[in-house]
Amino acid sequence: MDKLNFAAIDIGSNAVRLLIKGITAGEKVSDLAKVFIVRVPLRLGQDTFTRGRISTEKTEKLLRLMHAFSQLMQVYNVVAYRACATSAMRDSSNGAEIVRYISEKSGIHIEIINGLEEARIVYDSHIVDEFEQDGNFVYVDVGGGSTEVSIISNRELLQSQSYNIGTVRILNKKLSRSELYRMYRDLKRVKEEYPQISIIGSGGNINKLHHLARIPAHNPLTVEQLLALRNELNSYPIVDRIERFGLKPDRADVIVPAADIYLQIATHIGAQEIWVPTIGIVDGIIYSLCADYLKSHKS
């Protein structure tokens, strides 16, 4: 049977990801299944948040990576793709220049998207379909360079905000106190308007925290459990976290700052639990690509 494969590339502050999902001819968007995934810890944010620009060395590494992704998409007969760069690239003084250079050399068109577009893309992954119950949720996507916070009420996306608060920024001591206070003020208003609210968490760090807490797949991680796990992780040096918890080096150093961001958000909105459906920006990109493809090829 004919296979339709779609690809998403996420060029983030901590890592670069390629996800390929596919459906068989005759299947629907909801039937999309994972075909291939790879994550490379390039950590572009290390350059952007300390120097203000991405180095030539990392630019060339990203170029080689895009060449490899291009080959992989050909191998898997990808019919449509979208490549998005987020916080590190949009904050870098030479981000636009790098995107033009890599697009010309690799043939992969890269878009630099803002935080609100990030939030909209993830919502397009139909993240709310993971939950049977209606209600109020704060969708939180913690990245290396930014955190996106969206309000979802009764399955409708009401509003989104993006904050320059991320794990790589925190590690490099480049977190703006004014940006933190801006988020706190916004969260206070959320709490006043939605006194009963839960968090939906997205991204590799919250997925790993949920796994380390040994929570069944469809059960939420309580804030109490997250705090206990965060304190346990923080009690070990990074090198010991890698061995004791089976973490990759580029996950071991950012996982505690990520937990801190979730805990701060939970505290400010009064949430007691975090749902973790393991859906992110790459899933939203592919969902939209597939839906548009099927719509345009309707017989």
Side-chain angles (χ1 to χ4, degrees):
M1 299 180 75
D2 292 336
K3 188 85 172 176
L4 297 172
N5 286 334
F6 304 87
I9 298 171
D10 170 23
I11 303 171
S13 300
N14 192 33
V16 180
R17 297 172 182 81
L18 167 67
L19 174 66
I20 299 174
K21 283 186 173 183
I23 57 172
T24 303
E27 289 184 325
K28 304 184 295 296
V29 183
S30 56
D31 297 315
L32 278 164
K34 188 188 298 180
V35 174
F36 177 86
I37 186 168
V38 63
R39 174 184 180 275
V40 180
L42 197 53
R43 197 157 283 190
L44 296 175
Q46 189 82 38
D47 282 1
T48 298
F49 308 140
T50 58
R51 305 173 188 171
R53 58 188 285 114
I54 294 169
S55 66
T56 301
E57 180 187 359
K58 290 211 171 168
T59 298
E60 291 305 318
K61 285 183 178 179
L62 181 59
L63 175 58
R64 289 196 291 273
L65 199 51
M66 291 303 104
H67 277 305
F69 284 3
S70 177
Q71 293 294 317
L72 284 164
M73 288 192 292
Q74 290 179 52
V75 167
Y76 284 99
N77 296 315
V78 166
V79 297
Y81 78 92
R82 186 179 181 191
C84 296
T86 55
S87 184
M89 196 68 76
R90 66 176 173 254
D91 285 5
S92 174
S93 63
N94 59 342
E97 176 189 333
I98 288 171
V99 162
R100 283 195 301 272
Y101 170 72
I102 290 178
S103 295
E104 288 172 6
K105 295 290 185 180
S106 70
I108 292 181
H109 173 68
I110 301 170
E111 303 168 57
I112 300 178
I113 62 171
N114 61 35
L116 299 185
E117 174 70 356
E118 282 189 65
R120 187 198 64 77
I121 289 171
V122 178
Y123 180 75
D124 283 349
S125 70
H126 285 225
I127 195 167
V128 293
D129 293 345
E130 295 281 322
F131 306 99
E132 294 181 3
Q133 71 271 37
D134 291 334
N136 301 320
F137 296 94
V138 172
Y139 165 72
V140 180
D141 183 13
V142 174
S146 66
T147 292
E148 279 64 55
V149 177
S150 303
I151 309 303
I152 297 173
S153 182
N154 295 323
R155 300 178 180 271
E156 291 296 322
L157 177 64
L158 301 185
Q159 57 180 286
S160 296
Q161 286 291 333
S162 180
Y163 306 93
N164 286 333
I165 298 169
T167 58
V168 179
R169 285 186 197 271
I170 292 171
L171 285 179
N172 287 282
K173 296 180 171 52
K174 295 297 179 180
L175 179 60
S176 161
R177 194 170 292 275
S178 63
E179 188 75 345
L180 198 59
Y181 289 158
R182 180 172 77 90
M183 184 177 76
Y184 290 166
R185 287 194 298 272
D186 291 347
L187 293 174
K188 182 182 178 183
R189 287 194 289 269
V190 171
K191 184 179 181 181
E192 290 169 354
E193 192 168 351
Y194 304 98
Q196 298 294 323
I197 199 161
S198 297
I199 294 173
I200 300 172
S202 172
N205 286 304
I206 196 66
N207 292 341
K208 180 58 72 173
L209 287 161
H210 188 273
H211 174 74
L212 290 176
R214 303 182 188 279
I215 307 295
H218 297 290
N219 289 12
L221 174 65
T222 68
V223 172
E224 186 179 0
Q225 289 167 326
L226 177 58
L227 177 59
L229 179 57
R230 180 263 177 217
N231 289 339
E232 183 182 5
L233 286 162
N234 196 49
S235 69
Y236 293 97
I238 290 172
V239 66
D240 292 343
R241 285 181 213 164
I242 293 169
E243 185 176 348
R244 187 175 182 87
F245 298 95
L247 299 174
K248 294 178 180 177
D250 67 295
R251 180 73 67 205
D253 59 351
V254 296
I255 197 165
V256 170
D260 287 338
I261 295 171
Y262 279 103
L263 288 167
Q264 289 173 37
I265 291 173
T267 298
H268 280 81
I269 64 173
Q272 300 300 317
E273 58 189 14
I274 302 171
W275 297 85
V276 187
T278 65
I279 286 177
I281 185 172
V282 283
D283 301 276
I285 289 171
I286 286 177
Y287 194 101
S288 294
L289 285 173
C290 183
D292 291 345
Y293 183 92
L294 293 179
K295 185 178 178 181
S296 65
H297 288 74
K298 241 180 181 175
S299 54

